[in-house]
Structures are given as C-alpha cells and as structure tokens.
Amino acid sequence: SDIIGCAQTGTGKTAAFALPILELLASEPIINKEEKQDKKHKGRKKPIRALILSPTRELAQQIGDSFTAYGRFTGITNTVIYGGVAQSKQQQALRNGVDVLVATPGRLLDLMNQRIVSLSSVSIVVLDEADHMLDMGFIHDIRRIIDTLPQKIGRAHV
C-alpha cells in the first residue's frame, strides 16, 4: 500500500523507509526474470529491487550513505546515480548489480533511454522529498519512470 510521511529535518525519515526496505529485501529471495528465461548464463547481475528517487544529488548521496550504513551486514547493495558527473562509474556499479538504486530523475531517465537500467524487477519505490521534485518540475520525468515500473506494484497517480 502507499504511505506518505512528513517530518522535520533530522527526525529519521530516511531510516523510516530504509530500515523496512532493507529488512524486506533481506528476507525475500532474488527473482531475476531474465535469469529464469536464460539458465545457460548463470551469474547474471542482481536486479534492482528498490528504487529511491531524490530531487538533488546531495540528498541522493545522503540516502545512499544511509543505506550503506544501515545495510552494512545484510549483503544488500546500493548505488547512487545522478547527473552532473561522468556516468562511467555509475554504469559500472549498475553492471555489477544492485538491490537498491538511489537516483535523481534526470540521470535515471538518461540511463534508462540508453538501456543501461532496467526497472523490471522493482517492487518498492520511494519518492523522497516528492514535493520538492514536483516544485522543481520533475512531474513529467516521474510519470515516465513510473510508467516503466512493473504492474505488480501498481501505478501511482501523480
């Protein structure tokens, strides 16, 4: 189900969504549809299972740092992608496979258009600071991203 939360800075909003996501992902087996269809290519990268969208690179990096700290002993991996920097390191991290992707909408769409990112296995989506993303004009980007998500998580009406 959908949840909306509001609180002051420094009250633990990131932990409020990161900890349950880490717990859920740690308890669920990885289901990679591509691997099921093509068993001869064992060892494929793990699919992105959770997507966190953030309006700015600074916030995205903070969220990524939180997931790294909170998930330190879980085996759950994450990476952060955002614009304004060369994308080669980000591409390599995605090629290696990540469970949690923290991204700004623009760079995510760029990588999706280049077919570097697939959201076909995403089952959890968080729009962090959604009000700021909408104020910054990301509504069309968010709609495009949501339209690519699997049907099983439903469609948000933004």
Side-chain angles (χ1 to χ4, degrees), residues 17-18 20-22 24-25 28 46-53 67 76-79 94 98-103 108 117-126 149-150 152-153:
F17 67 78
I21 289 171
L22 289 167
L24 184 62
L25 295 182
E28 287 184 351
K46 39 181 166 171
I48 299 165
R49 300 190 290 157
L51 172 65
I52 317 301
L53 289 175
F67 268 94
I76 303 296
T77 59
N78 76 84
T79 197
L94 291 165
V98 296
D99 296 294
V100 178
L101 177 61
V102 182
L108 177 58
V117 172
S118 169
L119 302 179
S120 64
S121 296
V122 170
S123 60
I124 300 167
V125 178
V126 174
L149 296 172
K152 68 180 178 182
I153 62 173

PDB file of all heavy atoms in Angstrom, residues 17-18 20-22 24-25 28 46-53 67 76-79 94 98-103 108 117-126 149-150 152-153:
ATOM      1  N   PHE A  17      12.154   4.766   6.094  1.00  0.00           N
ATOM      2  CA  PHE A  17      11.875   3.946   4.912  1.00  0.00           C
ATOM      3  C   PHE A  17      13.020   2.993   4.595  1.00  0.00           C
ATOM      4  O   PHE A  17      12.798   1.908   4.067  1.00  0.00           O
ATOM      5  CB  PHE A  17      11.469   4.783   3.689  1.00  0.00           C
ATOM      6  CG  PHE A  17      12.527   5.671   3.085  1.00  0.00           C
ATOM      7  CD1 PHE A  17      13.521   5.163   2.264  1.00  0.00           C
ATOM      8  CD2 PHE A  17      12.490   7.047   3.294  1.00  0.00           C
ATOM      9  CE1 PHE A  17      14.463   5.997   1.684  1.00  0.00           C
ATOM     10  CE2 PHE A  17      13.430   7.888   2.719  1.00  0.00           C
ATOM     11  CZ  PHE A  17      14.427   7.355   1.911  1.00  0.00           C
ATOM     12  N   ALA A  18      14.256   3.345   4.934  1.00  0.00           N
ATOM     13  CA  ALA A  18      15.397   2.497   4.593  1.00  0.00           C
ATOM     14  C   ALA A  18      15.416   1.196   5.389  1.00  0.00           C
ATOM     15  O   ALA A  18      15.663   0.121   4.823  1.00  0.00           O
ATOM     16  CB  ALA A  18      16.707   3.254   4.800  1.00  0.00           C
ATOM     17  N   PRO A  20      12.928  -0.611   6.909  1.00  0.00           N
ATOM     18  CA  PRO A  20      11.961  -1.624   6.459  1.00  0.00           C
ATOM     19  C   PRO A  20      12.302  -2.186   5.076  1.00  0.00           C
ATOM     20  O   PRO A  20      12.086  -3.374   4.809  1.00  0.00           O
ATOM     21  CB  PRO A  20      10.624  -0.874   6.427  1.00  0.00           C
ATOM     22  CG  PRO A  20      10.809   0.280   7.344  1.00  0.00           C
ATOM     23  CD  PRO A  20      12.260   0.651   7.251  1.00  0.00           C
ATOM     24  N   ILE A  21      12.829  -1.343   4.188  1.00  0.00           N
ATOM     25  CA  ILE A  21      13.214  -1.826   2.857  1.00  0.00           C
ATOM     26  C   ILE A  21      14.332  -2.854   2.985  1.00  0.00           C
ATOM     27  O   ILE A  21      14.280  -3.931   2.375  1.00  0.00           O
ATOM     28  CB  ILE A  21      13.640  -0.657   1.940  1.00  0.00           C
ATOM     29  CG1 ILE A  21      12.418   0.172   1.552  1.00  0.00           C
ATOM     30  CG2 ILE A  21      14.366  -1.178   0.693  1.00  0.00           C
ATOM     31  CD1 ILE A  21      12.751   1.479   0.827  1.00  0.00           C
ATOM     32  N   LEU A  22      15.346  -2.549   3.775  1.00  0.00           N
ATOM     33  CA  LEU A  22      16.455  -3.490   3.966  1.00  0.00           C
ATOM     34  C   LEU A  22      15.970  -4.801   4.569  1.00  0.00           C
ATOM     35  O   LEU A  22      16.377  -5.884   4.135  1.00  0.00           O
ATOM     36  CB  LEU A  22      17.539  -2.857   4.838  1.00  0.00           C
ATOM     37  CG  LEU A  22      18.336  -1.742   4.168  1.00  0.00           C
ATOM     38  CD1 LEU A  22      19.150  -0.976   5.209  1.00  0.00           C
ATOM     39  CD2 LEU A  22      19.225  -2.297   3.072  1.00  0.00           C
ATOM     40  N   LEU A  24      12.939  -6.095   4.395  1.00  0.00           N
ATOM     41  CA  LEU A  24      12.136  -6.800   3.409  1.00  0.00           C
ATOM     42  C   LEU A  24      13.007  -7.457   2.340  1.00  0.00           C
ATOM     43  O   LEU A  24      12.823  -8.630   2.008  1.00  0.00           O
ATOM     44  CB  LEU A  24      11.135  -5.834   2.761  1.00  0.00           C
ATOM     45  CG  LEU A  24      10.153  -6.434   1.773  1.00  0.00           C
ATOM     46  CD1 LEU A  24       9.257  -7.457   2.465  1.00  0.00           C
ATOM     47  CD2 LEU A  24       9.316  -5.350   1.145  1.00  0.00           C
ATOM     48  N   LEU A  25      13.962  -6.716   1.809  1.00  0.00           N
ATOM     49  CA  LEU A  25      14.826  -7.267   0.760  1.00  0.00           C
ATOM     50  C   LEU A  25      15.692  -8.403   1.282  1.00  0.00           C
ATOM     51  O   LEU A  25      15.945  -9.380   0.568  1.00  0.00           O
ATOM     52  CB  LEU A  25      15.704  -6.177   0.148  1.00  0.00           C
ATOM     53  CG  LEU A  25      14.969  -5.072  -0.617  1.00  0.00           C
ATOM     54  CD1 LEU A  25      15.964  -4.080  -1.207  1.00  0.00           C
ATOM     55  CD2 LEU A  25      14.064  -5.637  -1.699  1.00  0.00           C
ATOM     56  N   GLU A  28      13.534 -11.574   1.332  1.00  0.00           N
ATOM     57  CA  GLU A  28      12.972 -12.076   0.075  1.00  0.00           C
ATOM     58  C   GLU A  28      14.071 -12.618  -0.823  1.00  0.00           C
ATOM     59  O   GLU A  28      15.108 -11.984  -0.987  1.00  0.00           O
ATOM     60  CB  GLU A  28      12.265 -10.949  -0.683  1.00  0.00           C
ATOM     61  CG  GLU A  28      10.964 -10.520  -0.091  1.00  0.00           C
ATOM     62  CD  GLU A  28      10.270  -9.466  -0.936  1.00  0.00           C
ATOM     63  OE1 GLU A  28      10.874  -8.956  -1.895  1.00  0.00           O
ATOM     64  OE2 GLU A  28       9.126  -9.143  -0.616  1.00  0.00           O
ATOM     65  N   LYS A  46      22.538  -9.006 -10.163  1.00  0.00           N
ATOM     66  CA  LYS A  46      21.278  -8.991  -9.441  1.00  0.00           C
ATOM     67  C   LYS A  46      20.446  -7.804  -9.904  1.00  0.00           C
ATOM     68  O   LYS A  46      20.981  -6.752 -10.237  1.00  0.00           O
ATOM     69  CB  LYS A  46      21.454  -9.000  -7.935  1.00  0.00           C
ATOM     70  CG  LYS A  46      22.522  -8.211  -7.330  1.00  0.00           C
ATOM     71  CD  LYS A  46      22.479  -8.432  -5.820  1.00  0.00           C
ATOM     72  CE  LYS A  46      23.741  -7.936  -5.204  1.00  0.00           C
ATOM     73  NZ  LYS A  46      23.683  -7.930  -3.772  1.00  0.00           N
ATOM     74  N   PRO A  47      19.141  -7.990  -9.932  1.00  0.00           N
ATOM     75  CA  PRO A  47      18.254  -6.930 -10.416  1.00  0.00           C
ATOM     76  C   PRO A  47      18.000  -5.852  -9.362  1.00  0.00           C
ATOM     77  O   PRO A  47      18.132  -6.101  -8.163  1.00  0.00           O
ATOM     78  CB  PRO A  47      16.959  -7.685 -10.724  1.00  0.00           C
ATOM     79  CG  PRO A  47      16.966  -8.812  -9.739  1.00  0.00           C
ATOM     80  CD  PRO A  47      18.415  -9.210  -9.591  1.00  0.00           C
ATOM     81  N   ILE A  48      17.631  -4.688  -9.830  1.00  0.00           N
ATOM     82  CA  ILE A  48      17.233  -3.595  -8.944  1.00  0.00           C
ATOM     83  C   ILE A  48      15.871  -3.953  -8.363  1.00  0.00           C
ATOM     84  O   ILE A  48      14.913  -4.165  -9.096  1.00  0.00           O
ATOM     85  CB  ILE A  48      17.166  -2.266  -9.721  1.00  0.00           C
ATOM     86  CG1 ILE A  48      18.534  -1.926 -10.301  1.00  0.00           C
ATOM     87  CG2 ILE A  48      16.638  -1.151  -8.817  1.00  0.00           C
ATOM     88  CD1 ILE A  48      18.490  -0.843 -11.371  1.00  0.00           C
ATOM     89  N   ARG A  49      15.798  -4.019  -7.030  1.00  0.00           N
ATOM     90  CA  ARG A  49      14.542  -4.392  -6.380  1.00  0.00           C
ATOM     91  C   ARG A  49      13.854  -3.230  -5.688  1.00  0.00           C
ATOM     92  O   ARG A  49      12.669  -3.299  -5.382  1.00  0.00           O
ATOM     93  CB  ARG A  49      14.788  -5.530  -5.388  1.00  0.00           C
ATOM     94  CG  ARG A  49      15.359  -6.765  -6.100  1.00  0.00           C
ATOM     95  CD  ARG A  49      15.397  -7.968  -5.209  1.00  0.00           C
ATOM     96  NE  ARG A  49      16.399  -7.851  -4.165  1.00  0.00           N
ATOM     97  CZ  ARG A  49      16.340  -8.531  -3.012  1.00  0.00           C
ATOM     98  NH1 ARG A  49      15.344  -9.330  -2.737  1.00  0.00           N
ATOM     99  NH2 ARG A  49      17.301  -8.391  -2.122  1.00  0.00           N
ATOM    100  N   ALA A  50      14.594  -2.166  -5.416  1.00  0.00           N
ATOM    101  CA  ALA A  50      14.002  -0.980  -4.785  1.00  0.00           C
ATOM    102  C   ALA A  50      14.588   0.258  -5.459  1.00  0.00           C
ATOM    103  O   ALA A  50      15.774   0.309  -5.765  1.00  0.00           O
ATOM    104  CB  ALA A  50      14.300  -0.950  -3.291  1.00  0.00           C
ATOM    105  N   LEU A  51      13.726   1.231  -5.705  1.00  0.00           N
ATOM    106  CA  LEU A  51      14.116   2.480  -6.347  1.00  0.00           C
ATOM    107  C   LEU A  51      13.746   3.636  -5.424  1.00  0.00           C
ATOM    108  O   LEU A  51      12.603   3.745  -4.985  1.00  0.00           O
ATOM    109  CB  LEU A  51      13.391   2.640  -7.685  1.00  0.00           C
ATOM    110  CG  LEU A  51      13.545   3.989  -8.388  1.00  0.00           C
ATOM    111  CD1 LEU A  51      14.998   4.222  -8.798  1.00  0.00           C
ATOM    112  CD2 LEU A  51      12.615   4.057  -9.595  1.00  0.00           C
ATOM    113  N   ILE A  52      14.741   4.478  -5.142  1.00  0.00           N
ATOM    114  CA  ILE A  52      14.516   5.673  -4.341  1.00  0.00           C
ATOM    115  C   ILE A  52      14.807   6.863  -5.246  1.00  0.00           C
ATOM    116  O   ILE A  52      15.928   6.994  -5.746  1.00  0.00           O
ATOM    117  CB  ILE A  52      15.462   5.749  -3.111  1.00  0.00           C
ATOM    118  CG1 ILE A  52      15.601   4.410  -2.391  1.00  0.00           C
ATOM    119  CG2 ILE A  52      15.032   6.883  -2.190  1.00  0.00           C
ATOM    120  CD1 ILE A  52      14.343   3.808  -1.867  1.00  0.00           C
ATOM    121  N   LEU A  53      13.827   7.706  -5.498  1.00  0.00           N
ATOM    122  CA  LEU A  53      14.033   8.907  -6.299  1.00  0.00           C
ATOM    123  C   LEU A  53      14.205  10.107  -5.388  1.00  0.00           C
ATOM    124  O   LEU A  53      13.473  10.270  -4.409  1.00  0.00           O
ATOM    125  CB  LEU A  53      12.854   9.142  -7.243  1.00  0.00           C
ATOM    126  CG  LEU A  53      12.724   8.164  -8.405  1.00  0.00           C
ATOM    127  CD1 LEU A  53      11.452   8.446  -9.196  1.00  0.00           C
ATOM    128  CD2 LEU A  53      13.939   8.226  -9.312  1.00  0.00           C
ATOM    129  N   PHE A  67      21.775   3.992   3.383  1.00  0.00           N
ATOM    130  CA  PHE A  67      21.555   2.587   3.028  1.00  0.00           C
ATOM    131  C   PHE A  67      22.833   1.772   3.238  1.00  0.00           C
ATOM    132  O   PHE A  67      22.775   0.631   3.707  1.00  0.00           O
ATOM    133  CB  PHE A  67      21.066   2.448   1.578  1.00  0.00           C
ATOM    134  CG  PHE A  67      19.579   2.436   1.463  1.00  0.00           C
ATOM    135  CD1 PHE A  67      18.881   3.609   1.222  1.00  0.00           C
ATOM    136  CD2 PHE A  67      18.856   1.260   1.584  1.00  0.00           C
ATOM    137  CE1 PHE A  67      17.503   3.605   1.114  1.00  0.00           C
ATOM    138  CE2 PHE A  67      17.482   1.247   1.484  1.00  0.00           C
ATOM    139  CZ  PHE A  67      16.798   2.420   1.242  1.00  0.00           C
ATOM    140  N   ILE A  76      22.861  -6.516   1.265  1.00  0.00           N
ATOM    141  CA  ILE A  76      22.055  -5.717   0.349  1.00  0.00           C
ATOM    142  C   ILE A  76      22.947  -4.601  -0.198  1.00  0.00           C
ATOM    143  O   ILE A  76      23.547  -3.859   0.563  1.00  0.00           O
ATOM    144  CB  ILE A  76      20.820  -5.107   1.049  1.00  0.00           C
ATOM    145  CG1 ILE A  76      19.955  -6.199   1.681  1.00  0.00           C
ATOM    146  CG2 ILE A  76      20.021  -4.236   0.088  1.00  0.00           C
ATOM    147  CD1 ILE A  76      19.338  -7.166   0.719  1.00  0.00           C
ATOM    148  N   THR A  77      23.016  -4.504  -1.516  1.00  0.00           N
ATOM    149  CA  THR A  77      23.877  -3.494  -2.138  1.00  0.00           C
ATOM    150  C   THR A  77      23.046  -2.325  -2.653  1.00  0.00           C
ATOM    151  O   THR A  77      21.858  -2.465  -2.937  1.00  0.00           O
ATOM    152  CB  THR A  77      24.663  -4.099  -3.313  1.00  0.00           C
ATOM    153  OG1 THR A  77      23.738  -4.613  -4.276  1.00  0.00           O
ATOM    154  CG2 THR A  77      25.583  -5.211  -2.836  1.00  0.00           C
ATOM    155  N   ASN A  78      23.710  -1.168  -2.753  1.00  0.00           N
ATOM    156  CA  ASN A  78      23.039   0.010  -3.296  1.00  0.00           C
ATOM    157  C   ASN A  78      24.037   0.822  -4.095  1.00  0.00           C
ATOM    158  O   ASN A  78      25.248   0.692  -3.917  1.00  0.00           O
ATOM    159  CB  ASN A  78      22.406   0.839  -2.176  1.00  0.00           C
ATOM    160  CG  ASN A  78      23.418   1.645  -1.401  1.00  0.00           C
ATOM    161  OD1 ASN A  78      23.792   2.750  -1.803  1.00  0.00           O
ATOM    162  ND2 ASN A  78      23.892   1.108  -0.284  1.00  0.00           N
ATOM    163  N   THR A  79      23.516   1.648  -4.968  1.00  0.00           N
ATOM    164  CA  THR A  79      24.341   2.625  -5.671  1.00  0.00           C
ATOM    165  C   THR A  79      23.526   3.880  -5.878  1.00  0.00           C
ATOM    166  O   THR A  79      22.294   3.846  -5.820  1.00  0.00           O
ATOM    167  CB  THR A  79      24.903   2.078  -6.998  1.00  0.00           C
ATOM    168  OG1 THR A  79      25.992   2.906  -7.411  1.00  0.00           O
ATOM    169  CG2 THR A  79      23.838   2.049  -8.091  1.00  0.00           C
ATOM    170  N   LEU A  94      26.114  -0.315 -11.870  1.00  0.00           N
ATOM    171  CA  LEU A  94      24.868  -0.939 -12.325  1.00  0.00           C
ATOM    172  C   LEU A  94      25.143  -2.276 -12.998  1.00  0.00           C
ATOM    173  O   LEU A  94      24.390  -3.236 -12.838  1.00  0.00           O
ATOM    174  CB  LEU A  94      24.126   0.001 -13.270  1.00  0.00           C
ATOM    175  CG  LEU A  94      23.548   1.251 -12.603  1.00  0.00           C
ATOM    176  CD1 LEU A  94      23.167   2.302 -13.636  1.00  0.00           C
ATOM    177  CD2 LEU A  94      22.353   0.886 -11.731  1.00  0.00           C
ATOM    178  N   VAL A  98      22.818  -4.172  -8.366  1.00  0.00           N
ATOM    179  CA  VAL A  98      22.493  -3.563  -7.076  1.00  0.00           C
ATOM    180  C   VAL A  98      21.065  -3.911  -6.690  1.00  0.00           C
ATOM    181  O   VAL A  98      20.211  -4.103  -7.554  1.00  0.00           O
ATOM    182  CB  VAL A  98      22.657  -2.024  -7.082  1.00  0.00           C
ATOM    183  CG1 VAL A  98      24.100  -1.630  -7.308  1.00  0.00           C
ATOM    184  CG2 VAL A  98      21.770  -1.365  -8.103  1.00  0.00           C
ATOM    185  N   ASP A  99      20.839  -4.004  -5.404  1.00  0.00           N
ATOM    186  CA  ASP A  99      19.489  -4.246  -4.902  1.00  0.00           C
ATOM    187  C   ASP A  99      18.686  -2.957  -4.829  1.00  0.00           C
ATOM    188  O   ASP A  99      17.497  -2.936  -5.153  1.00  0.00           O
ATOM    189  CB  ASP A  99      19.551  -4.862  -3.497  1.00  0.00           C
ATOM    190  CG  ASP A  99      20.208  -6.222  -3.495  1.00  0.00           C
ATOM    191  OD1 ASP A  99      19.623  -7.144  -4.082  1.00  0.00           O
ATOM    192  OD2 ASP A  99      21.303  -6.357  -2.913  1.00  0.00           O
ATOM    193  N   VAL A 100      19.346  -1.882  -4.362  1.00  0.00           N
ATOM    194  CA  VAL A 100      18.674  -0.603  -4.143  1.00  0.00           C
ATOM    195  C   VAL A 100      19.350   0.455  -5.012  1.00  0.00           C
ATOM    196  O   VAL A 100      20.560   0.641  -4.936  1.00  0.00           O
ATOM    197  CB  VAL A 100      18.752  -0.176  -2.653  1.00  0.00           C
ATOM    198  CG1 VAL A 100      18.085   1.174  -2.447  1.00  0.00           C
ATOM    199  CG2 VAL A 100      18.130  -1.234  -1.749  1.00  0.00           C
ATOM    200  N   LEU A 101      18.546   1.122  -5.828  1.00  0.00           N
ATOM    201  CA  LEU A 101      19.057   2.208  -6.656  1.00  0.00           C
ATOM    202  C   LEU A 101      18.501   3.524  -6.136  1.00  0.00           C
ATOM    203  O   LEU A 101      17.283   3.680  -6.023  1.00  0.00           O
ATOM    204  CB  LEU A 101      18.637   2.016  -8.113  1.00  0.00           C
ATOM    205  CG  LEU A 101      19.053   3.131  -9.074  1.00  0.00           C
ATOM    206  CD1 LEU A 101      20.570   3.269  -9.131  1.00  0.00           C
ATOM    207  CD2 LEU A 101      18.479   2.868 -10.462  1.00  0.00           C
ATOM    208  N   VAL A 102      19.397   4.443  -5.812  1.00  0.00           N
ATOM    209  CA  VAL A 102      19.026   5.792  -5.395  1.00  0.00           C
ATOM    210  C   VAL A 102      19.389   6.686  -6.573  1.00  0.00           C
ATOM    211  O   VAL A 102      20.532   6.668  -7.034  1.00  0.00           O
ATOM    212  CB  VAL A 102      19.778   6.227  -4.121  1.00  0.00           C
ATOM    213  CG1 VAL A 102      19.333   7.619  -3.696  1.00  0.00           C
ATOM    214  CG2 VAL A 102      19.584   5.219  -2.998  1.00  0.00           C
ATOM    215  N   ALA A 103      18.430   7.457  -7.072  1.00  0.00           N
ATOM    216  CA  ALA A 103      18.682   8.204  -8.306  1.00  0.00           C
ATOM    217  C   ALA A 103      17.934   9.524  -8.342  1.00  0.00           C
ATOM    218  O   ALA A 103      16.884   9.673  -7.720  1.00  0.00           O
ATOM    219  CB  ALA A 103      18.247   7.357  -9.505  1.00  0.00           C
ATOM    220  N   LEU A 108      18.472   9.050 -14.166  1.00  0.00           N
ATOM    221  CA  LEU A 108      17.831   7.741 -14.293  1.00  0.00           C
ATOM    222  C   LEU A 108      17.215   7.588 -15.670  1.00  0.00           C
ATOM    223  O   LEU A 108      17.407   6.572 -16.338  1.00  0.00           O
ATOM    224  CB  LEU A 108      16.778   7.537 -13.200  1.00  0.00           C
ATOM    225  CG  LEU A 108      15.991   6.227 -13.281  1.00  0.00           C
ATOM    226  CD1 LEU A 108      16.917   5.015 -13.226  1.00  0.00           C
ATOM    227  CD2 LEU A 108      14.957   6.165 -12.169  1.00  0.00           C
ATOM    228  N   VAL A 117      19.764   0.781 -17.524  1.00  0.00           N
ATOM    229  CA  VAL A 117      18.978   0.498 -16.322  1.00  0.00           C
ATOM    230  C   VAL A 117      17.663  -0.145 -16.721  1.00  0.00           C
ATOM    231  O   VAL A 117      16.972   0.341 -17.619  1.00  0.00           O
ATOM    232  CB  VAL A 117      18.674   1.802 -15.536  1.00  0.00           C
ATOM    233  CG1 VAL A 117      17.715   1.534 -14.402  1.00  0.00           C
ATOM    234  CG2 VAL A 117      19.949   2.414 -15.003  1.00  0.00           C
ATOM    235  N   SER A 118      17.336  -1.231 -16.031  1.00  0.00           N
ATOM    236  CA  SER A 118      16.033  -1.859 -16.175  1.00  0.00           C
ATOM    237  C   SER A 118      15.350  -1.840 -14.817  1.00  0.00           C
ATOM    238  O   SER A 118      15.946  -2.204 -13.801  1.00  0.00           O
ATOM    239  CB  SER A 118      16.172  -3.310 -16.644  1.00  0.00           C
ATOM    240  OG  SER A 118      14.930  -3.980 -16.529  1.00  0.00           O
ATOM    241  N   LEU A 119      14.100  -1.428 -14.801  1.00  0.00           N
ATOM    242  CA  LEU A 119      13.320  -1.389 -13.567  1.00  0.00           C
ATOM    243  C   LEU A 119      12.320  -2.540 -13.503  1.00  0.00           C
ATOM    244  O   LEU A 119      11.378  -2.508 -12.721  1.00  0.00           O
ATOM    245  CB  LEU A 119      12.604  -0.041 -13.441  1.00  0.00           C
ATOM    246  CG  LEU A 119      13.496   1.203 -13.455  1.00  0.00           C
ATOM    247  CD1 LEU A 119      12.648   2.471 -13.344  1.00  0.00           C
ATOM    248  CD2 LEU A 119      14.543   1.152 -12.359  1.00  0.00           C
ATOM    249  N   SER A 120      12.531  -3.578 -14.310  1.00  0.00           N
ATOM    250  CA  SER A 120      11.566  -4.669 -14.429  1.00  0.00           C
ATOM    251  C   SER A 120      11.411  -5.508 -13.157  1.00  0.00           C
ATOM    252  O   SER A 120      10.421  -6.208 -13.009  1.00  0.00           O
ATOM    253  CB  SER A 120      11.937  -5.579 -15.599  1.00  0.00           C
ATOM    254  OG  SER A 120      13.188  -6.198 -15.358  1.00  0.00           O
ATOM    255  N   SER A 121      12.369  -5.448 -12.246  1.00  0.00           N
ATOM    256  CA  SER A 121      12.285  -6.223 -11.005  1.00  0.00           C
ATOM    257  C   SER A 121      11.999  -5.372  -9.782  1.00  0.00           C
ATOM    258  O   SER A 121      12.010  -5.876  -8.656  1.00  0.00           O
ATOM    259  CB  SER A 121      13.594  -6.996 -10.797  1.00  0.00           C
ATOM    260  OG  SER A 121      13.757  -7.940 -11.823  1.00  0.00           O
ATOM    261  N   VAL A 122      11.745  -4.082  -9.973  1.00  0.00           N
ATOM    262  CA  VAL A 122      11.487  -3.184  -8.847  1.00  0.00           C
ATOM    263  C   VAL A 122      10.145  -3.528  -8.204  1.00  0.00           C
ATOM    264  O   VAL A 122       9.139  -3.675  -8.887  1.00  0.00           O
ATOM    265  CB  VAL A 122      11.508  -1.701  -9.303  1.00  0.00           C
ATOM    266  CG1 VAL A 122      10.997  -0.781  -8.202  1.00  0.00           C
ATOM    267  CG2 VAL A 122      12.907  -1.306  -9.737  1.00  0.00           C
ATOM    268  N   SER A 123      10.177  -3.669  -6.885  1.00  0.00           N
ATOM    269  CA  SER A 123       8.927  -3.919  -6.160  1.00  0.00           C
ATOM    270  C   SER A 123       8.652  -2.847  -5.103  1.00  0.00           C
ATOM    271  O   SER A 123       7.583  -2.845  -4.510  1.00  0.00           O
ATOM    272  CB  SER A 123       8.961  -5.296  -5.498  1.00  0.00           C
ATOM    273  OG  SER A 123      10.025  -5.381  -4.576  1.00  0.00           O
ATOM    274  N   ILE A 124       9.625  -1.956  -4.876  1.00  0.00           N
ATOM    275  CA  ILE A 124       9.470  -0.888  -3.885  1.00  0.00           C
ATOM    276  C   ILE A 124       9.940   0.418  -4.518  1.00  0.00           C
ATOM    277  O   ILE A 124      11.024   0.467  -5.105  1.00  0.00           O
ATOM    278  CB  ILE A 124      10.320  -1.164  -2.631  1.00  0.00           C
ATOM    279  CG1 ILE A 124       9.913  -2.483  -1.972  1.00  0.00           C
ATOM    280  CG2 ILE A 124      10.224   0.000  -1.643  1.00  0.00           C
ATOM    281  CD1 ILE A 124      10.894  -2.974  -0.928  1.00  0.00           C
ATOM    282  N   VAL A 125       9.137   1.461  -4.387  1.00  0.00           N
ATOM    283  CA  VAL A 125       9.502   2.781  -4.904  1.00  0.00           C
ATOM    284  C   VAL A 125       9.264   3.815  -3.821  1.00  0.00           C
ATOM    285  O   VAL A 125       8.219   3.818  -3.178  1.00  0.00           O
ATOM    286  CB  VAL A 125       8.671   3.159  -6.154  1.00  0.00           C
ATOM    287  CG1 VAL A 125       9.032   4.551  -6.636  1.00  0.00           C
ATOM    288  CG2 VAL A 125       8.861   2.140  -7.252  1.00  0.00           C
ATOM    289  N   VAL A 126      10.269   4.681  -3.625  1.00  0.00           N
ATOM    290  CA  VAL A 126      10.148   5.783  -2.680  1.00  0.00           C
ATOM    291  C   VAL A 126      10.424   7.076  -3.431  1.00  0.00           C
ATOM    292  O   VAL A 126      11.424   7.182  -4.136  1.00  0.00           O
ATOM    293  CB  VAL A 126      11.156   5.647  -1.509  1.00  0.00           C
ATOM    294  CG1 VAL A 126      11.111   6.875  -0.609  1.00  0.00           C
ATOM    295  CG2 VAL A 126      10.890   4.379  -0.715  1.00  0.00           C
ATOM    296  N   LEU A 149       7.502   0.956 -14.522  1.00  0.00           N
ATOM    297  CA  LEU A 149       7.552   0.018 -13.405  1.00  0.00           C
ATOM    298  C   LEU A 149       6.627  -1.169 -13.651  1.00  0.00           C
ATOM    299  O   LEU A 149       5.622  -1.052 -14.359  1.00  0.00           O
ATOM    300  CB  LEU A 149       7.174   0.730 -12.110  1.00  0.00           C
ATOM    301  CG  LEU A 149       8.130   1.837 -11.671  1.00  0.00           C
ATOM    302  CD1 LEU A 149       7.548   2.601 -10.493  1.00  0.00           C
ATOM    303  CD2 LEU A 149       9.492   1.271 -11.338  1.00  0.00           C
ATOM    304  N   PRO A 150       6.938  -2.308 -13.055  1.00  0.00           N
ATOM    305  CA  PRO A 150       6.088  -3.495 -13.212  1.00  0.00           C
ATOM    306  C   PRO A 150       4.663  -3.239 -12.728  1.00  0.00           C
ATOM    307  O   PRO A 150       4.449  -2.473 -11.784  1.00  0.00           O
ATOM    308  CB  PRO A 150       6.764  -4.542 -12.328  1.00  0.00           C
ATOM    309  CG  PRO A 150       8.155  -4.062 -12.131  1.00  0.00           C
ATOM    310  CD  PRO A 150       8.105  -2.565 -12.219  1.00  0.00           C
ATOM    311  N   LYS A 152       2.847  -5.144 -11.020  1.00  0.00           N
ATOM    312  CA  LYS A 152       2.572  -5.700  -9.681  1.00  0.00           C
ATOM    313  C   LYS A 152       2.664  -4.672  -8.573  1.00  0.00           C
ATOM    314  O   LYS A 152       2.091  -4.857  -7.513  1.00  0.00           O
ATOM    315  CB  LYS A 152       3.506  -6.875  -9.382  1.00  0.00           C
ATOM    316  CG  LYS A 152       4.952  -6.487  -9.206  1.00  0.00           C
ATOM    317  CD  LYS A 152       5.823  -7.690  -8.914  1.00  0.00           C
ATOM    318  CE  LYS A 152       7.265  -7.238  -8.806  1.00  0.00           C
ATOM    319  NZ  LYS A 152       8.142  -8.335  -8.567  1.00  0.00           N
ATOM    320  N   ILE A 153       3.383  -3.559  -8.794  1.00  0.00           N
ATOM    321  CA  ILE A 153       3.430  -2.545  -7.747  1.00  0.00           C
ATOM    322  C   ILE A 153       2.421  -1.437  -8.017  1.00  0.00           C
ATOM    323  O   ILE A 153       2.333  -0.489  -7.298  1.00  0.00           O
ATOM    324  CB  ILE A 153       4.839  -1.957  -7.545  1.00  0.00           C
ATOM    325  CG1 ILE A 153       5.358  -1.248  -8.770  1.00  0.00           C
ATOM    326  CG2 ILE A 153       5.793  -3.016  -7.071  1.00  0.00           C
ATOM    327  CD1 ILE A 153       6.656  -0.521  -8.547  1.00  0.00           C
TER     328      ILE A 153
END
